[in-house]
Amino acid sequence: MCGIVGYIGYRNTLPVLLQGLERLEYRGYDSAGVACLENGKKSLFVAKEKGKLAQLTSALNGKTVSSTIGIAHTRWATHGAPSRANAHPHTDTKNRIAVVHNGIIENFAEVKEFLKTRGHRFKSETDTEVIPHLVEELNHGDLEEAFRKAIQRLNGYFAIVMISVDEPEKLFAFKRSNPLVLGVGKGENFAASDVTALLPYTRRVIYLQDNELAVLTKDHIHISTLLHQKSIRRQPTEIKWTLDEAKKGGFPHYMLKEIFEQPHVARQTLEKRIKQGKIYFDTFHQAVNKRLAKVKKVFIVSCGTAHHAGLIGRYMLEEYTRIPTEVQVSSEFRYTDPIVTRDDLVVLISQSGETADTIAAFREAKENGAMTLAIVNVVGSTIAREADFVLYTHAGPEIGVASTKAYIAQLLTLMLFAFHLGVIKKRISQTTLSDLLKELQKIPSAITEILKNEKQLDVAVKALYQKKNFLFIGRGYNFPTALEGALKLKEISYAHAHGYAGGEMKHGPIALIDHTQPVICIASESKTYGKMLSNIQEIKARDAIVLTIASKGDEQVKKLSNWIFYIPRVLEIFSTILSVVPLQLFAYKIAVRNQRDVDQPRNLAKSVTVE
Ligand code: M6R
């Protein structure tokens, strides 16, 4: 959570920082702030505001500050409510040191008490504010040493960037667990929570590793380990994402742009992963496949939308590999005292690769000696780096808080992984595999077809957008799709929505049904189609308002529905990728009609880096 930007170079700093924050606002947006060192003056310029970045920009009102070094922050509150006082950057007593921070300092209360006894006065309720004060306390003429010593006194997980009037030609950065990437320019250097903030200036980046401290001047970056001060030489990585990929591309919202990118994402995933009729995982060599062949049990651990992908992943793995598979939300995994052994595979699914709950679950799995596989979108993220093996989903940057294209890519990757493991376990023949892969190739154009028909949802949306309660039902492979449809709707429209397995309705939820209750039913062709039809009949008999997602040409279910949205006919396993698309569009359209902030819904952040 929280976005950080740091700059040192020759440009006018303020616009660089504000542009960087704009790209990182998805990480948190309850307050924003900047701090710059003013050229020729031994003073800090600090500006911060509660609310979104726009509040800060309008408070600055085009102000110019003569400065070539600065830091900036967009916040998602953890310690202390959203307010101007709690907004970053935070400074020391004499206003000579400014710090931005992403993460949590677990022992901040104790450090704060100590600093108070030393005469430090605090202006905020944040954990962050102890950092500049501690550096001030420990500074005896060498700022880098004071920064290093201060960090050694702090417990927790964080990324920090710091500037000071005492050494105005240096930007200090540190990373432990939370992401921090350095941008390498010519006569300028950068630090940011992710690469999107750097793309207008440079494509050459260095991913700072855990417990590394960096000192940036305009011409040089020096990285060293925190404890032993061992210098690290690391070549920059070239970022291939286009700038356009990180922008809205003409759509009113990132979410809609990302929904419409799904055919491309699916095509790209298949092109990367299927070569000459075979599944190709670049990171899997012979030894990996040997280890996979011995796997006795699979655990899938993830949160939110990634958890729903995991639930579908279980159906896939059990059908095609017959390996028992357990799915858990990351935040519960550790606390169930999971029986994980060296023979097990733990699959971690995460768009950001930075979700704190999933990182914690990963560490639990690692301690138990399990083999870990990360299915992650953000290259170089914590989970991707630390897992034994990684399969990147290559969905490109996902900016909308509501996950859409990353989900499609997760499903495709899980599917291919299940087939791959099925072959290794000799549960699938080469012929079956090539039939499946042939069918799979139809998916990108099937998504395009659905997107072309998106307007067909409008009548239902117009009739339902003011409703406050929705039910979503599905069965088998599409039961998790119902959960995902409900999550999408509630997170961006703020209406209550609940997903159920169709067969569960009669065990309680059917009591909710009357003529005012909308129920969204996923009833595409499947093993459980007949049963699903009965479930729809049961709710229709009680006058529910029914919107059905069905396979093209299904006249039977049409008669039971107020509205129907058809998806192309595909195998049940592949229908999971198609049936979610109208549900994403439905949620989007309802939210827009209710004038919700689709890309940055209240109380949410794109990447949840606190447990
Ligand atoms: O980055 P991750 O995939 O680990 O994030 C997991 C969830 O926080 C995320 O899917 C969240 O539920 C989304 N807002 C759903 O749209």
Side-chain angles (χ1 to χ4, degrees):
M1 221 65 53
C2 302
I4 290 178
V5 192
Y7 176 76
I8 181 161
Y10 55 86
R11 295 175 205 259
N12 189 3
T13 311
L14 208 48
V16 177
L17 296 177
L18 293 174
Q19 188 176 32
L21 286 188
E22 204 180 311
R23 282 157 185 257
L24 294 182
E25 215 184 357
Y26 72 90
R27 297 179 65 87
Y29 36 81
D30 55 45
S31 56
V34 290
C36 309
L37 297 180
E38 297 196 71
N39 290 341
K41 289 192 199 168
K42 278 249 163 196
S43 65
L44 276 173
F45 168 82
V46 181
K48 38 195 193 174
E49 287 300 325
K50 181 183 169 191
K52 292 192 171 182
L53 177 60
Q55 304 295 121
L56 175 68
T57 319
S58 100
L60 285 167
N61 195 19
K63 184 175 173 57
T64 51
V65 180
S66 165
S67 166
T68 51
I69 172 169
I71 55 178
H73 189 269
T74 176
R75 180 168 186 252
W76 187 82
T78 56
H79 292 69
S83 69
R84 186 194 281 177
N86 288 335
H88 301 211
H90 289 284
T91 53
D92 64 328
T93 321
K94 299 193 195 95
N95 231 26
R96 299 178 75 79
I97 300 169
V99 164
V100 286
H101 156 237
N102 168 28
I104 288 177
I105 298 166
E106 288 166 355
N107 61 337
F108 88 100
E110 173 195 320
V111 176
K112 197 167 176 174
E113 280 317 304
F114 157 73
L115 288 166
K116 278 184 184 167
T117 63
R118 303 281 303 160
H120 293 260
R121 293 284 163 264
F122 291 84
K123 294 171 280 214
S124 79
E125 307 153 276
T126 64
D127 51 348
T128 309
E129 200 184 355
V130 302
I131 309 171
H133 285 274
L134 192 55
V135 175
E136 179 185 27
E137 179 66 27
L138 300 172
N139 187 9
H140 304 295
D142 182 341
L143 209 53
E144 179 180 339
E145 191 188 74
F147 185 52
R148 197 180 289 280
K149 281 193 176 152
I151 291 165
Q152 287 173 23
R153 299 267 285 261
L154 303 175
N155 300 336
Y157 300 97
F158 35 76
I160 303 169
V161 180
M162 178 183 92
I163 52 172
S164 169
V165 293
D166 293 329
E167 297 196 30
E169 276 147 24
K170 287 180 187 164
L171 190 85
F172 300 87
F174 174 78
K175 170 193 152 38
R176 180 184 296 145
S177 197
N178 286 9
L180 198 61
V181 56
L182 307 179
V184 185
K186 286 200 177 106
E188 58 181 350
N189 286 311
F190 306 79
S193 297
D194 85 35
V195 292
T196 47
L198 310 177
L199 288 183
Y201 309 102
T202 182
R203 301 191 155 270
R204 298 176 70 227
V205 304
I206 297 174
Y207 289 100
L208 214 53
Q209 308 286 312
D210 280 352
N211 292 311
E212 285 180 354
L213 187 153
V215 180
L216 289 76
T217 63
K218 68 184 179 51
D219 299 310
H220 187 68
I221 294 178
H222 180 252
I223 302 174
S224 60
T225 55
L226 178 70
L227 284 183
H228 304 296
Q229 302 185 37
K230 193 173 147 246
S231 291
I232 312 274
R233 286 175 71 91
R234 188 168 300 131
Q235 285 309 311
T237 309
E238 190 80 22
I239 294 296
K240 302 250 160 52
W241 284 351
T242 63
L243 199 53
D244 201 42
E245 272 178 296
K247 288 188 180 166
K248 284 188 198 145
F251 287 92
H253 298 99
Y254 282 113
M255 183 185 176
L256 192 62
K257 170 182 174 263
E258 287 157 6
I259 291 174
F260 274 80
E261 278 172 0
Q262 292 181 119
H264 169 70
V265 168
R267 197 163 290 116
Q268 191 166 283
T269 306
L270 298 180
E271 269 166 22
K272 274 192 197 306
R273 299 291 182 209
I274 303 172
K275 303 227 186 273
Q276 291 155 349
K278 291 208 168 110
I279 295 170
Y280 171 75
F281 289 141
D282 47 349
T283 44
F284 285 12
H285 42 79
Q286 211 55 26
V288 184
N289 291 333
K290 264 195 188 158
R291 258 189 98 177
L292 284 174
K294 292 188 191 138
V295 165
K296 299 229 166 53
K297 182 167 179 186
V298 178
F299 289 83
I300 305 182
V301 188
S302 42
C303 306
T305 288
H307 171 61
H308 298 151
L311 289 170
I312 297 180
R314 174 191 158 207
Y315 286 85
M316 295 170 178
L317 280 161
E318 292 196 333
E319 177 170 358
Y320 290 95
T321 70
R322 303 306 295 153
I323 304 174
T325 303
E326 194 175 314
V327 189
Q328 293 222 28
V329 285
S330 312
S331 52
E332 286 299 310
F333 183 67
R334 280 193 296 170
Y335 306 106
T336 57
D337 202 2
I339 308 166
V340 182
T341 72
R342 297 185 62 78
D343 297 328
D344 300 334
L345 170 70
V346 177
V347 180
L348 303 129
I349 311 171
S350 176
Q351 187 287 129
S352 61
E354 299 294 349
T355 300
D357 286 322
T358 309
I359 294 175
F362 156 77
R363 294 197 171 131
E364 172 81 25
K366 206 77 200 129
E367 269 169 31
N368 287 300
M371 177 181 184
T372 53
L373 167 68
I375 297 184
V376 164
N377 194 37
V378 177
V379 177
S381 55
T382 304
I383 299 172
R385 282 197 320 272
E386 293 188 13
D388 295 324
F389 311 103
V390 59
L391 290 176
Y392 283 116
T393 44
H394 298 298
E398 191 179 64
I399 309 290
V401 164
S403 187
T404 52
K405 62 174 181 169
Y407 178 69
I408 294 282
Q410 285 161 355
L411 286 181
L412 280 166
T413 308
L414 280 163
M415 215 170 258
L416 291 169
F417 178 66
F419 297 160
H420 178 77
L421 203 52
V423 172
I424 292 179
K425 290 276 184 187
K426 301 195 177 15
R427 290 279 176 181
I428 311 183
S429 68
Q430 281 302 336
T431 326
T432 311
L433 177 69
S434 58
D435 290 347
L436 285 166
L437 296 184
K438 232 180 266 161
E439 280 298 302
L440 198 48
Q441 305 286 357
K442 297 179 188 160
I443 293 300
S445 50
I447 306 175
T448 306
E449 194 179 323
I450 293 170
L451 294 173
K452 273 193 194 141
N453 296 335
E454 49 102 9
K455 293 230 164 357
Q456 289 175 13
L457 285 167
D458 291 353
V459 192
V461 168
K462 194 170 171 205
L464 299 177
Y465 77 98
Q466 284 169 320
K467 293 277 180 194
K468 297 282 174 273
N469 286 293
F470 292 80
L471 293 177
F472 286 71
I473 59 171
R475 294 186 76 124
Y477 269 106
N478 276 307
F479 160 47
T481 311
L483 301 181
E484 175 59 7
L487 174 64
K488 278 299 80 95
L489 185 65
K490 64 190 146 199
E491 71 178 326
I492 59 168
S493 77
Y494 316 150
H496 175 254
H498 206 114
Y500 283 104
E504 271 297 292
M505 288 298 288
K506 57 188 173 294
H507 298 289
I510 202 162
L512 293 169
I513 304 292
D514 64 13
H515 67 285
T516 65
Q517 180 64 56
V519 187
I520 292 66
C521 308
I522 303 134
S524 50
E525 223 169 29
S526 70
K527 284 197 285 285
T528 49
Y529 172 78
K531 297 251 186 281
M532 188 66 200
L533 210 61
S534 308
N535 298 145
I536 300 177
Q537 249 143 3
E538 285 153 16
I539 57 165
K540 198 61 206 168
R542 288 156 179 86
D543 290 332
I545 310 168
V546 175
L547 165 63
T548 306
I549 312 300
S551 299
K552 211 171 177 174
D554 185 341
E555 289 298 325
Q556 209 178 349
V557 78
K558 190 176 178 185
K559 291 189 195 119
L560 298 173
S561 315
N562 296 63
W563 307 280
I564 192 146
F565 188 94
Y566 285 126
I567 60 170
R569 282 180 182 271
V570 290
L571 290 179
E572 184 178 0
I573 180 173
F574 301 147
S575 73
T576 53
I577 300 176
L578 303 188
S579 55
V580 74
V581 179
L583 302 185
Q584 296 166 341
L585 288 162
F586 179 72
Y588 174 80
K589 285 167 185 273
I590 296 258
V592 169
R593 273 205 172 250
N594 284 297
Q595 297 176 342
R596 302 297 189 219
D597 191 343
V598 173
D599 284 330
Q600 294 179 342
R602 68 183 183 201
N603 307 337
L604 294 178
K606 182 66 183 161
S607 169
V608 186
T609 53
V610 287
E611 278 184 60

